Amino acid sequence: MKLYHSPASPYVRKVMVSALHLGLAEGIERIAASPSPVKPDPVLSAQNPLGKLPAAVLSDGTLLVGSRTICEYLAAQGSDPTWLPAPGPARWAVLELHDLGDGILDAALVARYETFVRPEAFRWADWVSGQMLKIDTALARLDSMTDRLQGQLNLGNVTVGCALGYLDFRFAHHDWRTANPRLAAWWADFDQIPVMAQTRPA
Amino acid sequence: MKLYHSPASPYVRKVMVSALHLGLAEGIERIAASPSPVKPDPVLSAQNPLGKLPAAVLSDGTLLVGSRTICEYLAAQGSDPTWLPAPGPARWAVLELHDLGDGILDAALVARYETFVRPEAFRWADWVSGQMLKIDTALARLDSMTDRLQGQLNLGNVTVGCALGYLDFRFAHHDWRTANPRLAAWWADFDQIPVMAQTRPA
């Protein structure tokens, strides 16, 4: 599998944690890419017409777009049925965590584009506030369900971890820990797990 | 299942087409919501902390966020194994179409927020151009693979249909048909299928 990759992308991190956990990392050929919404990477766009990371191309030419699909593909190649359980309550529970983590990332990326890609004259404070509110509301929900984050690694708790790691990386000024002490305590430990420590953003 | 719903949302449409096709629509209690990124809907946000549509709540309280997860849940309740095939090449092929359709929708929504939500003084033309380029590049890819869109309804071709229907609904001024005649011909027929005609945006 060819994987279009950037070490700073939290979605790529999810894919790499999945591959490491499932013992599939050696079968992945990484291709560096660094697209922006206003400056596409032509090598990446030739494969993924949406121009986004991560994207993967299988040996039969099938294109996998986005971390959700790539992680699902990896789960199907691996041998840990708890990573992403088969359809049923256990899967919906893992996906609930996954989707909350991914939603935090989506909002964080939107806020970052506003402050680091868009020229200053065109920035709109309400837009960033709206995204930060989504992040804070979702963090509060996760703080109320930290018991669900415990236990074996799976695509749910790892995605939440990648989201918190991204906040630490790009939003270090945003103190989310004071309001969410249980989540902060969980993350202090989870951040040290080898597959998380090995994939910290650079 | 409670579904937070808006008749104008193309992601909600995917969910409703899935439910109608799978014979599950009668089991869905629709709750109207109309959030914006800068003006959350408090009823929706109390359930989905990310404040976005669609969201669903199962009878055991599990939250399903986003059309991908909700459609996957519905597929598991239904009895059409080709709607979203089990892991294997057929699934990755359906998801390839799904993700291209969803990516077109994601870019179209970003472009629409820029032109209909953001105050005029803060709009950035390069941002919209970047999103429209993603849309056009993905449409060209789909035009080259219309043979893959034929055949039975599945989550892949329906998502592409919801994306094209959204372009017709909100971007009627953007002529994508001239450059993509095979895709346009496919859509002219697909748009008439009862589950698509029943769910046209209003």
Side-chain angles (χ1 to χ4, degrees), chain B residues 1 18-28 73-79:
Chain B
M1 184 177 105
S18 300
L20 287 165
H21 175 79
L22 295 164
L24 300 168
E26 288 192 7
I28 294 179
Y73 171 81
L74 291 172
Q77 317 309 309
S79 55

Side-chain angles (χ1 to χ4, degrees), chain A residues 37-38 40 45-52 58 61-65 68-69 72-73 76-77 87 91-93 95-96 99-100 103-104 106 113-114 117-119 121-124 126-127 130-131 133-134 137-138 141, chain B residues 37-38 40 45-52 58 61-65 68-69 72-73 76-77 87 91-93 95-96 99-100 103-104 106 113-114 117-119 121-124 126-127 130-131 133-134 137-138 141:
Chain A
V38 292
S45 293
Q47 297 297 326
N48 176 10
L50 297 163
K52 290 199 286 192
L58 304 183
T62 303
L63 170 70
L64 305 179
V65 176
R68 168 81 176 261
T69 295
E72 202 184 296
Y73 172 81
Q77 317 309 310
R91 185 182 185 91
W92 317 135
L95 288 177
E96 184 175 8
D99 292 343
L100 288 171
I104 290 170
D106 293 347
Y113 286 143
E114 186 79 15
V117 174
R118 184 178 291 265
F122 302 131
R123 293 178 198 160
W124 182 28
D126 290 0
W127 186 252
Q131 302 301 324
L133 179 64
K134 287 176 191 285
T137 312
R141 175 71 62 92
Chain B
V38 292
S45 293
Q47 298 297 326
N48 175 11
L50 297 164
K52 289 198 286 192
L58 304 183
T62 302
L63 171 69
L64 305 179
V65 175
R68 168 80 177 261
T69 295
E72 202 185 294
Y73 171 81
Q77 317 309 309
R91 186 181 184 92
W92 317 133
L95 288 177
E96 183 176 8
D99 292 343
L100 288 171
I104 290 170
D106 294 347
Y113 286 142
E114 185 79 15
V117 175
R118 184 178 290 264
F122 302 131
R123 293 178 198 160
W124 182 29
D126 290 0
W127 186 251
Q131 301 302 323
L133 178 64
K134 287 176 191 285
T137 313
R141 174 71 62 92

Side-chain angles (χ1 to χ4, degrees), chain A residues 138-149:
Chain A
L139 290 170
R141 175 71 62 92
L142 288 167
D143 190 64
S144 76
M145 53 199 284
T146 44
D147 55 313
R148 295 262 308 276
L149 294 166

